[in-house]
Amino acid sequence: MRHFTLASLLATALTVGLMTATPSMAQTAQPATKSDSKMAPMAPKASESKMAPAPKAELLDINSATADQLDALPGIGKAYSAKIIAGRPYKGKDELVQKNIVPQATYDKIKDKVIAKQKS
């Protein structure tokens, strides 16, 4: 009788374990609805944001840009674009201020948008 009790306890424990470990046959997996799949986007980790710089906008070369391209820059009009073109070539974009082509305040507006490429 002792053997029968031990075997029945073992069978019961195994049955309960299997029932809790696997989903019931009566339950069916339902596909995720659109409201379920809309989870909040995860913020990038601090290490990821430091390693991947933001993409930079295309810089305008002051040594080869057209008058219309220069006019599109903030603070640069037809007069300044004509002076920029007349003062070419530039070794560096800071020469716009050094050569008195544009004032410092105007240069501060455009310095992150322009570059002075050299012919190679």
Side-chain angles (χ1 to χ4, degrees):
M1 186 173 222
R2 184 171 185 200
H3 181 62
F4 177 73
T5 307
L6 184 60
S8 65
L9 284 176
L10 183 60
T12 304
L14 183 62
T15 305
V16 170
L18 287 175
M19 289 177 63
T20 58
T22 59
S24 173
M25 290 295 190
Q27 294 179 346
T28 57
Q30 295 179 351
T33 61
K34 288 186 178 182
S35 63
D36 291 342
S37 63
K38 290 184 181 178
M39 295 179 64
M42 293 179 62
K45 295 179 183 176
S47 60
E48 290 175 1
S49 63
K50 289 180 184 176
M51 296 178 74
K56 293 184 179 179
E58 188 68 28
L59 297 176
L60 182 65
D61 181 16
I62 59 174
N63 284 325
S64 64
T66 65
D68 291 333
Q69 291 172 322
L70 292 168
D71 285 343
L73 292 170
I76 303 293
K78 293 184 188 248
Y80 283 139
S81 64
K83 285 177 75 175
I84 291 170
I85 291 171
R88 288 177 180 167
Y90 300 99
K91 293 179 183 174
K93 62 184 179 181
D94 59 337
E95 285 188 0
L96 292 174
V97 175
Q98 292 172 359
K99 292 183 175 183
N100 293 323
I101 305 293
V102 296
Q104 183 68 46
T106 304
Y107 175 75
D108 290 340
K109 292 178 188 176
I110 66 168
K111 67 182 177 183
D112 295 331
K113 298 174 183 356
V114 296
I115 192 169
K117 293 183 181 177
Q118 305 301 310
K119 290 182 180 180
S120 45

